[in-house]
Amino acid sequence: MHQPTTEPRRSIYYDYQVHQPWLASKNPAQPRHSVVIAGGGPVGMTAALELARHGVPCVLLESELQVSEGSRAIVFTRRSMEILQQVGVAERVTQHGLPWRFGNSFYRGQRVFRMEAPQDDNDRFWPMINLQQQYLEEYLVDACEAHPLIDLRWGNRVTGLAQHADHAVVEVDTPEGLYKLETEWLVASDGARSGIRTLLDLTLEGASYEGRFVIADIRIDLPLPTERLAFFDPEWNPRNTVLMHREPLNIWRVDYQLPEGETPEQALEPESLKARIDAQLELIGHGGKPWEMDWCSVYSARTLTLPDYRAGRTLFIGDAAHLLPIFGVRGANTGFQDAQALAWRLGLICSGQASESLLASYSTERVGAAWEIIDEAGKSTRFMTPPSRGFRLLRDAVLSLSLTEAFVRPLYHWRTSRPHEYTHSALNSAGDDNALFRAGPAHGAPPANVRLGADDFLLDHLGGGFDLLVFGSVVPADVQATVKDWKAKGLKLRVLLIGQGAQATGADVCLPDTEGRARARWGVKTDGAAYLLRPDQHVCARWMTLDAHRLNAALKQATTGVAA
Ligand SMILES: Cc1cc2nc3c(=O)[nH]c(=O)nc-3n(C[C@H](O)[C@H](O)[C@H](O)COP(=O)(O)OP(=O)(O)OC[C@H]3O[C@@H](n4cnc5c(N)ncnc54)[C@H](O)[C@@H]3O)c2cc1C
C-alpha cells in the first residue's frame, strides 16, 4: 500500500502544504477517461492545464502529497513564461520572481565575459526569471485545483500498466490500496526516474557526464544584482567550476563542481559544505557574512532521450521523456514545450477532429528538439566540466584568451534554453510562401511578440486554437467562408486582423498596428499577408497573399500531417 509522507518537507523559506490523498472509496465508480496524466510535477500540471484549455478533461495522478523538495528548477525562460501565460500562472511568477538578462564569467579572479541576453521592447517577459520550483508548482496546483476539467489526485501512485489497442488500464496505488483506471491515453510525466518507462521496458539514448556538482541553496543577504555568476578555476576549487544564482527571498543557489573521485556522501558532509561555501563567499568579497543552508543535493549531467515519445497508448513528456543538463536551464523549460506540443494534438484527437496519426508529428518534433538541446547542452556541459585533457586545454585557452581577444568569446558555450523551431515539421504547409519572406518567424518557429500598448501585447490575444493573423484592413470574403466552414466542423480557429483597430467583417479580433511594429517583427511588406499559427503558437504557414484554397490546404496539413 502506497504511504506517501504526511510530514511537511523541511525548508527555511517555504511552507509546504500537505494535501489530502484522493481515495477511491470516497468517490464514485470510475468511467473510462480520455486522458490520465501520471505525475503532477511542473510538466504534468502544465499538460493538464493545456488539455483543459483545449476542452479535454483529465485525471492527474500525483504520487506525493506535496510539491517538490528543494528549489530545483530556478530559472524560467521567456518562452516558458509565454506558455505559462496561456495556462494562467505567468502573472504570479512575474510578481514573485526575479527577472534578469546578464551573466558574468570569471577566470582565475578576473571577469572574462559578460553575457547579455537580448531584450526587446516588444517582449512582455524578460529573457529569464528566477523563482524556486516549489512556488511555480504551487501556482500550477492552484490553477489545476480551480479548473473543473482537472481531477487532481494526491497520493495516487501508478504501479502497473496494461496497454490495449484503443485504451490503457492503469493500476494506481493509494493509502487505502489499489484501484484501476481505464483511459484512452496515458501521459507519462513521472519524472527522471519514470516508473512508466521501466514498466514499458523503454531505454533512454545518449550520454552521461562524470563531473559532479553540489547544488546548495543558502539564505544570505548579498547586495548583488540578479545576474548569473560563473567562476572557472577559482583558487579555492582549482580546475573546477562554480555557479551562483540569486533566487527570491534572499536565497542564493551555489553550485560547485567536485574534485574527481569525491563521493556524494563526502561532498554533503556539513563541514565540507561549510568550508566550500565560506570559501566561495570569501571569493566574492562577502566572507564571514552569516548564512543558513536550506537544501543541498549532488547532481551530475546527463543528455538522454527516449527515441520515440509514443509507446502504444502512452505518451511521454518532461523528464520522463528526456534528461537534460541543468546548465543552460533546459529541464523544466523543455518540458513545458513538450506539454504544449502534446496537448493540442490530444485535444483534436479526443474531439474527433484528427486521427491518432497526428501524434507521430508530436514525437518527431519533440525528439528532434531533445536531440538539438542535447547537442547544445553537451557543448555547455563539456565547457563546464571538460571530460578530457584536450577539452580542458581548449576550454582554458578560450578562458584566458577572452581576457584580451574578442574573437574567442563566441566559443563560450553559455547558450541557455531556447524554443525549438519545427523547421521540417510534417505539419508545415507545403504550398505556402514561406520561402518568399525575408524576415519574421518562419515555418515551425514560435511567434514573435509585439507591444500594442503600455500593457498590451500581441500574444495576449492568441490562444485556445489555431490563429490566423491577417495583416491589413479586410479579411477576404473567400477566406471568411473557409474559416466559417472549419469552425462549423468544430475546429477552434480565430482570425486576428492586424492593422485595423475597429471591427471588420470576418475578424474575431482587430488589433491596431499604428507604429508598424507588428509588420516589422513579422516581416510583412504588403496588405493581405497572413500567418497561420498552430494552437501551440508555432507557425505552420505564411503567405504573401492569402486565398481560401491555400488556407484550406494548410489547415488540412496542420491537422493531419499530410500535404493536401
Ligand atoms: C538540482 C536541480 C536543478 C535544476 N535546475 C533547473 C533549472 O534551473 N531550469 C530548468 O528548466 N530545470 C532545472 N532542473 C530540472 C527540473 O527540475 C526538471 O526538469 C523538472 O522538474 C521536470 O519536471 P517534470 O514534471 O517532468 O518531472 P518532476 O518535476 O520530476 O515531476 C514528476 C512528478 O511525478 C511524480 N511521480 C513519480 N512517479 C510517479 C508515479 N509512479 N505515479 C504518480 N506520480 C509519480 C513525482 O512525485 C513528481 O511530482 C533542475 C533539476 C535539479 C535536480
Side-chain angles (χ1 to χ4, degrees):
M1 209 178 293
H2 177 47
Q3 296 294 346
T5 178
T6 51
E7 278 293 302
R9 303 188 200 281
R10 199 202 67 86
S11 170
I12 58 175
Y13 66 89
Y14 185 78
D15 284 332
Y16 281 92
Q17 187 194 343
V18 178
H19 298 262
Q20 287 302 311
W22 184 96
L23 301 174
S25 61
K26 296 202 175 138
N27 289 280
Q30 305 285 304
R32 181 181 290 184
H33 298 275
S34 301
V35 182
V36 167
I37 301 178
V43 177
M45 286 193 279
T46 303
L49 289 164
E50 275 283 301
L51 281 168
R53 225 161 58 87
H54 298 302
V56 181
C58 73
V59 174
L60 175 53
L61 304 169
E62 169 50 43
S63 172
E64 300 300 320
L65 297 174
Q66 51 197 316
V67 298
S68 89
E69 177 152 29
S71 64
R72 297 177 68 195
I74 51 162
V75 183
F76 300 102
T77 61
R78 176 183 293 134
R79 185 62 195 148
S80 292
M81 290 297 286
E82 289 170 354
I83 295 172
L84 294 172
Q85 181 186 24
Q86 290 164 64
V87 299
V89 301
E91 211 174 310
R92 289 182 79 184
V93 177
T94 307
Q95 272 166 13
H96 296 104
L98 300 174
W100 61 277
R101 58 187 286 249
F102 297 109
N104 303 287
S105 297
F106 300 87
Y107 179 54
R108 294 185 180 159
Q110 288 193 61
R111 189 166 81 183
V112 288
F113 186 58
R114 184 160 165 85
M115 182 275 293
E116 183 173 345
Q119 171 79 331
D120 194 300
D121 181 52
N122 285 306
D123 286 311
R124 178 180 272 292
F125 301 108
W126 284 62
M128 257 79 65
I129 187 162
N130 288 2
L131 181 72
Q132 294 93 338
Q133 184 166 324
Q134 305 97 312
Y135 286 103
L136 175 63
E137 289 192 23
E138 177 188 316
Y139 306 156
L140 289 164
V141 167
D142 289 348
C144 285
E145 288 191 327
H147 207 298
L149 292 181
I150 301 174
D151 177 358
L152 170 51
R153 300 182 181 179
W154 294 101
N156 278 226
R157 182 172 189 76
V158 172
T159 48
L161 172 62
Q163 302 218 75
H164 303 277
D166 64 347
H167 72 283
V169 180
V170 183
E171 181 191 77
V172 188
D173 200 2
T174 72
E176 65 171 19
L178 298 172
Y179 74 97
K180 288 196 171 166
L181 264 183
E182 274 192 21
T183 180
E184 285 170 27
W185 298 102
L186 173 66
V187 175
S189 55
D190 53 341
R193 296 200 184 106
S194 170
I196 296 176
R197 228 170 39 214
T198 311
L199 286 171
L200 294 176
D201 202 18
L202 302 174
T203 311
L204 295 161
E205 297 177 352
S208 298
Y209 291 82
E210 298 212 334
R212 284 206 177 103
F213 275 76
V214 162
I215 309 274
D217 272 357
I218 60 170
R219 180 157 61 194
I220 183 168
D221 189 6
L222 291 177
L224 298 174
T226 309
E227 297 188 354
R228 185 187 56 208
L229 304 173
F231 303 85
F232 295 94
D233 211 2
E235 250 175 50
W236 72 266
N237 195 7
R239 294 167 64 79
N240 292 323
T241 307
V242 183
L243 299 173
M244 288 185 75
H245 268 291
R246 185 183 197 113
E247 301 170 34
L249 305 170
N250 277 345
I251 303 295
W252 280 80
R253 165 73 62 81
V254 186
D255 299 352
Y256 55 86
Q257 194 182 352
L258 295 175
E260 259 172 56
E262 185 165 331
T263 64
E265 295 70 33
Q266 290 165 333
L268 294 179
E269 298 272 344
E271 309 74 53
S272 157
L273 289 164
K274 181 169 182 335
R276 284 159 161 170
I277 288 170
D278 283 346
Q280 179 58 22
L281 293 175
E282 191 70 45
L283 179 93
I284 60 166
H286 293 280
K289 269 212 162 168
W291 59 269
E292 251 180 301
M293 176 70 77
D294 179 64
W295 168 76
C296 59
S297 169
V298 172
Y299 170 83
S300 59
R302 284 168 295 175
T303 48
L304 299 167
T305 178
L306 286 173
D308 192 342
Y309 293 170
R310 178 175 178 188
R313 307 303 290 182
T314 306
L315 298 146
F316 286 84
I317 55 175
D319 279 10
H322 42 66
L323 294 175
L324 305 169
I326 58 175
F327 315 125
V329 298
R330 291 170 164 106
N333 289 305
T334 305
F336 297 135
Q337 292 164 49
D338 298 335
Q340 196 195 31
L342 179 61
W344 73 267
R345 288 169 164 98
L346 279 182
L348 288 189
I349 294 164
C350 291
S351 62
Q353 290 170 75
S355 80
E356 62 181 72
S357 61
L358 186 61
L359 292 172
S361 65
Y362 163 68
S363 183
T364 314
E365 287 182 2
R366 294 310 302 162
V367 172
W371 280 115
E372 183 189 70
I373 294 160
I374 284 173
D375 187 43
E376 281 195 0
K379 286 181 199 156
S380 324
T381 306
R382 285 191 292 275
F383 197 77
M384 299 267 308
T385 60
S388 67
R389 197 165 160 269
F391 274 113
R392 178 170 293 281
L393 272 173
L394 184 69
R395 198 278 304 262
D396 290 351
V398 169
L399 286 167
S400 57
L401 273 174
S402 57
L403 279 170
T404 52
E405 308 294 329
F407 79 92
V408 292
R409 292 183 189 146
L411 293 173
Y412 269 79
H413 288 296
W414 261 135
R415 256 163 256 138
T416 41
S417 166
R418 59 188 170 82
H420 184 69
E421 302 196 357
Y422 308 124
T423 309
H424 304 295
S425 171
L427 308 192
N428 295 338
S429 181
D432 68 350
D433 299 330
N434 182 50
L436 301 180
F437 279 77
R438 293 285 157 264
H443 267 181
N449 211 351
V450 179
R451 181 186 286 279
L452 302 172
D455 186 28
D456 188 18
F457 292 82
L458 175 61
L459 296 200
D460 304 352
H461 299 273
L462 303 184
F466 283 87
D467 285 299
L468 179 65
L469 312 188
V470 179
F471 290 80
S473 54
V474 287
V475 184
D478 62 336
V479 169
Q480 287 185 39
T482 300
V483 168
K484 208 167 153 198
D485 286 352
W486 279 89
K487 282 184 175 177
K489 283 190 264 175
L491 189 79
K492 278 196 195 155
L493 167 63
R494 291 184 334 143
V495 180
L496 290 90
L497 191 61
I498 299 175
Q500 168 81 12
Q503 267 310 322
T505 314
D508 296 290
V509 178
C510 292
L511 300 171
D513 186 24
T514 34
E515 294 174 29
R517 285 170 176 242
R519 282 181 179 237
R521 269 211 131 184
W522 288 72
V524 167
K525 297 263 184 258
T526 51
D527 274 4
Y531 275 75
L532 181 63
L533 308 186
R534 316 177 334 179
D536 58 7
Q537 303 184 335
H538 285 252
V539 173
C540 60
R542 53 181 183 165
W543 303 270
M544 292 289 181
T545 322
L546 178 58
D547 62 72
H549 176 72
R550 294 202 297 167
L551 173 60
N552 206 25
L555 283 165
K556 271 192 193 151
Q557 188 161 355
T559 51
T560 59
V562 179

